């Protein structure tokens, strides 16, 4: 049931064209942050307005849409965004990763490998990987233009000197096709290797007015040192519900006596495995 | 047995219902109408129009009602609505010289053509709670007099005639549009003023105050503060001339600031400018002070590193809708990031612990 | 022999005021040129124009690049100039905190230039940093400390290490001993002299301190009101000054 008072997918066609141009430019220059005139959306800045605008410009009436937040389809913000497009675009929605043509995500990449023809839309809070080293936009844009990324490695050097390890666990910076250093949004570094995929990846930062993109099969390297290589990490347990040993896990506190269990953060993955008969040690 | 949390949808619906009930409050108390808010909370309405960048007192009043009096939330509602409106065109620049002034004061001249007009101001009220207002009374009526005010010329115009204040070159360039183009730096003055007029009042006030206390002090005098209605005119190509499409009330503040002069420029006064929807004096004066502070570079002044001189800092942090959204988003779930931080801290603590043990053994 | 740096007619004005006017000179590989004059003489303006920090109004600054031979630095693109700035060129600021990252460890400060040109082995970067700390007489145990915990002299030595780690061919120094105690100055000058000699560096040193140029510089330019008033071998200029202003300058300081 679409609300007739708004255009398909809420945004007017002019705005969608402007966003599509930014997306195409982003795909043409992988990893480059394209400025775009982000619109005020009916959801707050910081709650996925960039992702929502990219989805709005990407969706067609034939699409099947999935929204995840922290890997889950039923977290409140995911529900809110899914409903927004049900109301304004009337598109089919799903929780099945394999059935979706457009997936909007916050902080995770689905466990199930994505395929050609799918689009993964990320919500990005701070698109600038250099921001916490250099607060000025005018300076960071120059650093990207001149490929001056020494400072990024200084930060990793300092981590190792102080902690013995690179102390970045999410939003771990990557280099795209040997050119731009890019923030993959706050996904856990466990997800970084999945950034090389068959699907199109689009990143939208509404408040910061930036869109960037990774075309299918683009080379993505997580920054590291030869002698301190990048390591994707996760909790060293299988999922308590489905027994998966290869998925990213949430830690759930089960009582106030130190009891806890680990479960898949990707709810669709976990449910599919359980439907296939897999069981973890905490499953009934 | 543990079951993964479900029911986000039900929780959201229930929260919305509760919110609606809370908004109405005690039903024994009569409901407030939008018209009441528009008429009796007019300064709140003005702020919502100014920072919402939409001149519509009825919609602003509705937004305040819906937002339960949270003005930033009301501004958000107006902004989200505004962005969906079609654009028919652009008006001509409004002529504030032809303003029908309700209030006009100058701090630089005791008397001047057009006179000092106090208008409806809190300025000389004693801030004593008026308990009579708690009991509903009759509507007060102000006396009427024919002021004989005709054209009220701008104060800066007098100074300009003597060459005492910098010339403000007029330009027919189309100013950039912050709501249609991404903010890119360096921002010219038109773009900065556009950002400032919709900037958060509190943020602008704080910055302006900081300049008075010495963080880029610029010795501002209120050359003139004027409030009143101006006509909005639009060129109609089919007609070949401009017609009036309505009136808006504006607050305009022009500050006169010292300037010591440079090698090429003799000493003269410089300007700061504020123009805001509605009667919004505090905001307009603050805007003028911040505008002046941001002009340090074109005037060849020193950058003393003050926040109010830093265009990037000011422009990127002045919008309360951006700020509040990003601030409040930390309420959203961050399980995934937090989980990876947990793993990292455990790992770092393990290696630190191992080192301690090794040192103890040696 | 091709000069490493060849400067022709360099001029910089600030409105009606002349920063530096029509300055020309050649600097050959391994040579150290001192520029002296009182404050306001234009020596810092000249240095900043040479190093690309200030755009001059006229003139040429021709550098003998490794890849393409002689190139006018002023007509280079910004990426090229910045690349030069982190490889073949180095700049030692008067105030160490202008040339250091105060929030980054000593090792990170020295390692930054290596990482900027592609070094990606943590162990090697750290070894180079420790080696360079040693060369500027900073103990290995301070490698993970931030410069904020260092004395003024140590900060200045750290800045020098950070600049020299990539083996630049040309070093610009702006009052390298300014603001330091006399005893600290002497030690720093000794160290600089050794490094310049051992690495065969070319350098341009701006100072108001004749003792510094006496120790470091082969040749000397004396500036007054934006112009070079005297130019020659250091000992010749200091021991037998020709221009009246140089005579005044030399007589006003203690001989070293």
């Amino acid at each position: 049931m679409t609300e007739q008072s708004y255009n398909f997918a809420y945004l007017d066609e002019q705005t969608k064209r402007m966003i599509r141009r930014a997306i195409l430019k982003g795909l043409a220059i992988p990893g480059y942050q394209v400025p775009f005139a982000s619109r005020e959306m009916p959801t707050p800045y910081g709650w996925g307005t960039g992702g929502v605008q990219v989805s709005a410009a990407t969706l067609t009436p034939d699409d099947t849409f999935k929204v995840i937040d922290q890997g889950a389809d039923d977290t409140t913000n995911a529900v809110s965004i899914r409903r927004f497009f049900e109301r304004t675009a009337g598109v089919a929605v799903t929780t099945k990763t394999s059935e979706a043509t457009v997936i909007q995500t916050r902080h995770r990449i689905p466990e199930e490998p994505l395929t050609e023809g799918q689009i993964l839309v990320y919500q990005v809070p701070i698109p600038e990987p250099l921001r916490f080293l250099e607060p000025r936009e005018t300076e960071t844009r120059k650093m990207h233009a001149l490929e001056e990324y020494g400072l990024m490695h200084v930060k990793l050097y300092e981590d190792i000197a102080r902690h013995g390890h690179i102390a970045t666990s999410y939003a771990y910076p990557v280099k795209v096709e040997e050119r731009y250093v890019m923030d993959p949004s706050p996904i856990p570094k466990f997800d970084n290797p999945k950034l090389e995929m068959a699907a199109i990846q689009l990143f939208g930062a509404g408040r910061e007015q930036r869109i960037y993109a990774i075309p299918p099969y683009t080379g993505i390297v997580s920054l590291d040192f030869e002698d301190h290589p990048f390591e994707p990490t996760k909790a060293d347990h299988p999922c308590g519900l489905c027994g998966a040993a290869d998925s990213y896990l949430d830690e759930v506190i089960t009582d106030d006596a130190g009891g806890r269990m680990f479960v898949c953060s990707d709810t669709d993955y976990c449910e599919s495995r359980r439907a296939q008969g897999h069981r973890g040690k905490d499953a009934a | 047995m543990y079951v993964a949390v479900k029911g986000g949808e039900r929780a959201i619906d229930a929260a919305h219902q509760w919110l609606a009930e809370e908004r109405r409050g005690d039903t024994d108390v009569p409901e407030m109408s939008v018209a009441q808010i528009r008429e009796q909370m007019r300064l709140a309405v003005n702020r919502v129009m100014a920072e919402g960048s939409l001149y519509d007192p009825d919609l602003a009043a509705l937004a305040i009602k819906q937002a339960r009096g949270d003005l930033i939330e009301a501004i958000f509602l107006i902004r989200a609505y505004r962005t969906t409106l079609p654009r028919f065109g652009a008006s001509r620049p409004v002529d504030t010289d032809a303003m029908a002034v309700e209030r006009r004061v100058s701090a630089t001249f005791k008397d001047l053509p057009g006179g000092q007009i106090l208008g409806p101001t809190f300025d000389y009220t004693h801030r004593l709670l008026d308990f009579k207002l708690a009991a509903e009374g009759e509507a007060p009526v102000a006396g009427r007099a024919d002021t004989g005010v005709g054209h009220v010329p701008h104060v800066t115009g007098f100074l300009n005639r003597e060459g005492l204040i910098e010339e403000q070159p007029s330009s027919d360039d189309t100013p950039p549009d912050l709501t249609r183009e991404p903010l890119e730096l360096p921002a010219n003055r038109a773009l900065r003023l556009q950002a400032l007029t919709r900037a958060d009042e509190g943020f602008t006030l704080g910055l302006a105050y900081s300049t008075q206390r010495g963080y880029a002090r610029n010795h501002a005098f209120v050359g003139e503060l004027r409030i009143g209605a101006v006509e909005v005119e639009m060129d109609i190509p089919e007609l070949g001339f401009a017609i009036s499409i309505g009136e808006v009330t504006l607050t305009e503040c022009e500050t006169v600031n010292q300037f010591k002069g440079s090698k090429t420029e003799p000493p003269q006064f410089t300007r700061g400018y504020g123009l805001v929807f509605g009667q919004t004096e505090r905001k307009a004066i603050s805007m003028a002070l911040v505008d002046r502070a941001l002009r340090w570079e074109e005037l060849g002044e020193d950058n003393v590193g003050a926040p109010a001189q830093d265009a990037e800092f000011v422009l990127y942090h002045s919008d309360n809708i951006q700020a509040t959204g990003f601030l409040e988003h930390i309420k959203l779930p961050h399980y995934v990031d937090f989980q990876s931080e947990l793993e990292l801290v455990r790992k770092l603590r393990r290696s630190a612990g191992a080192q301690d043990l090794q040192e103890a053994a040696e | 022999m091709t000069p490493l740096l060849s400067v022709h007619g360099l001029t910089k004005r600030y409105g009606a005021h002349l920063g530096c006017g029509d300055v020309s000179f050649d600097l050959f590989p391994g040579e150290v040129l001192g520029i002296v004059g009182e404050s306001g003489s234009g020596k810092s303006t000249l240095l900043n124009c040479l190093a690309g920090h200030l755009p001059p109004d006229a003139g040429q600054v021709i550098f003998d690049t490794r890849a393409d031979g002689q190139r006018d630095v002023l007509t280079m693109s910004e990426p090229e100039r910045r690349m030069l700035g982190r490889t073949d060129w180095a700049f030692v600021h008067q105030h160490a905190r202008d040339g250091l990252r105060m929030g980054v460890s000593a090792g990170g400060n020295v390692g930054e230039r290596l990482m900027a040109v592609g070094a990606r082995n943590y162990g090697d970067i750290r070894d180079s940093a420790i080696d360079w700390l040693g060369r500027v007489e900073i103990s290995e145990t301070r490698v993970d400390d931030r410069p904020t915990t260092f004395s003024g002299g140590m900060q200045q030595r750290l800045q020098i290490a950070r600049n020299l780690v990539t083996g630049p061919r040309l070093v610009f120094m702006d009052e390298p001993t300014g603001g330091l105690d006399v005893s600290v100055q002497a030690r720093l000058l000794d160290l600089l002299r050794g490094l310049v000699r051992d690495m065969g560096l070319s350098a341009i040193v701006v100072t108001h301190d004749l003792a510094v140029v006496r120790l470091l510089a082969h040749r000397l330019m004396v500036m007054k009101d934006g112009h070079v008033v005297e130019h020659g071998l250091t000992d010749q200029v200091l021991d037998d000054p020709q221009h009246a202003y140089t005579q005044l300058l030399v007589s006003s300081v203690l001989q070293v």
Side-chain angles (χ1 to χ4, degrees), chain A residues 2 4 41 64 90 93 107 118 125 198 200 262:
Chain A
T2 312
Q4 291 304 321
M41 299 300 285
T64 303
V93 296
H107 298 192
Q118 287 184 303
I200 293 174
F262 293 88

Short mmCIF file of all heavy atoms in Angstrom, two decimals, chain A residues 2 4 41 64 90 93 107 118 125 198 200 262:
data_model
loop_
_atom_site.label_atom_id
_atom_site.label_comp_id
_atom_site.label_asym_id
_atom_site.label_seq_id
_atom_site.Cartn_x
_atom_site.Cartn_y
_atom_site.Cartn_z
N THR A 2 0.89 1.94 -1.10
CA THR A 2 1.76 3.11 -1.24
C THR A 2 1.00 4.37 -0.89
O THR A 2 -0.17 4.50 -1.23
CB THR A 2 2.23 3.22 -2.71
OG1 THR A 2 2.69 1.96 -3.13
CG2 THR A 2 3.33 4.24 -2.84
N GLN A 4 0.00 7.81 -1.64
CA GLN A 4 -0.03 8.47 -2.95
C GLN A 4 0.49 9.90 -2.88
O GLN A 4 0.84 10.48 -3.91
CB GLN A 4 -1.45 8.45 -3.51
CG GLN A 4 -1.91 7.06 -3.90
CD GLN A 4 -0.99 6.37 -4.89
OE1 GLN A 4 -0.45 6.99 -5.80
NE2 GLN A 4 -0.73 5.08 -4.69
N MET A 41 15.67 14.17 5.23
CA MET A 41 14.76 13.04 5.14
C MET A 41 13.87 13.05 6.38
O MET A 41 14.17 13.70 7.37
CB MET A 41 15.56 11.74 5.07
CG MET A 41 16.47 11.65 3.87
SD MET A 41 15.59 11.74 2.31
CE MET A 41 14.84 10.12 2.23
N THR A 64 13.16 -6.43 -4.71
CA THR A 64 12.83 -7.03 -3.42
C THR A 64 13.86 -6.49 -2.42
O THR A 64 15.06 -6.61 -2.65
CB THR A 64 12.90 -8.55 -3.49
OG1 THR A 64 12.01 -8.99 -4.52
CG2 THR A 64 12.48 -9.18 -2.17
N GLY A 90 6.18 0.76 -1.90
CA GLY A 90 5.37 -0.43 -2.08
C GLY A 90 6.14 -1.62 -2.63
O GLY A 90 5.57 -2.51 -3.25
N VAL A 93 9.28 -6.92 0.26
CA VAL A 93 10.36 -6.98 1.23
C VAL A 93 10.60 -8.43 1.62
O VAL A 93 9.72 -9.28 1.47
CB VAL A 93 10.07 -6.13 2.49
CG1 VAL A 93 9.96 -4.67 2.14
CG2 VAL A 93 8.84 -6.63 3.19
N HIS A 107 26.34 -1.64 9.51
CA HIS A 107 27.38 -2.30 10.31
C HIS A 107 27.65 -3.77 10.02
O HIS A 107 28.41 -4.39 10.76
CB HIS A 107 27.11 -2.14 11.82
CG HIS A 107 27.11 -0.72 12.29
ND1 HIS A 107 27.12 -0.39 13.62
CD2 HIS A 107 27.12 0.45 11.62
CE1 HIS A 107 27.11 0.92 13.74
NE2 HIS A 107 27.11 1.45 12.54
N GLN A 118 22.86 -8.28 -7.36
CA GLN A 118 22.42 -7.74 -6.07
C GLN A 118 23.16 -6.42 -5.79
O GLN A 118 24.26 -6.19 -6.29
CB GLN A 118 22.71 -8.73 -4.94
CG GLN A 118 21.76 -9.94 -4.96
CD GLN A 118 22.00 -10.86 -3.77
OE1 GLN A 118 23.11 -11.35 -3.58
NE2 GLN A 118 20.95 -11.10 -2.99
N PRO A 125 28.24 6.62 8.80
CA PRO A 125 28.21 7.81 9.67
C PRO A 125 29.29 8.83 9.32
O PRO A 125 29.01 10.01 9.13
CB PRO A 125 28.39 7.24 11.07
CG PRO A 125 29.01 5.90 10.89
CD PRO A 125 28.65 5.41 9.51
N ALA A 198 30.77 -10.12 -5.64
CA ALA A 198 30.16 -10.08 -6.97
C ALA A 198 29.10 -8.99 -7.08
O ALA A 198 28.73 -8.58 -8.19
CB ALA A 198 29.54 -11.44 -7.29
N ILE A 200 27.21 -5.19 -6.38
CA ILE A 200 27.57 -3.77 -6.34
C ILE A 200 27.44 -3.28 -4.91
O ILE A 200 26.46 -3.58 -4.24
CB ILE A 200 26.62 -2.96 -7.26
CG1 ILE A 200 26.84 -3.34 -8.71
CG2 ILE A 200 26.82 -1.45 -7.04
CD1 ILE A 200 25.83 -2.69 -9.65
N PHE A 262 26.93 -17.04 22.75
CA PHE A 262 27.29 -16.38 21.51
C PHE A 262 26.34 -16.85 20.42
O PHE A 262 26.13 -18.04 20.27
CB PHE A 262 28.74 -16.70 21.15
CG PHE A 262 29.71 -16.08 22.12
CD1 PHE A 262 30.09 -16.76 23.28
CD2 PHE A 262 30.23 -14.82 21.89
CE1 PHE A 262 30.98 -16.19 24.18
CE2 PHE A 262 31.11 -14.24 22.79
CZ PHE A 262 31.49 -14.93 23.94
#
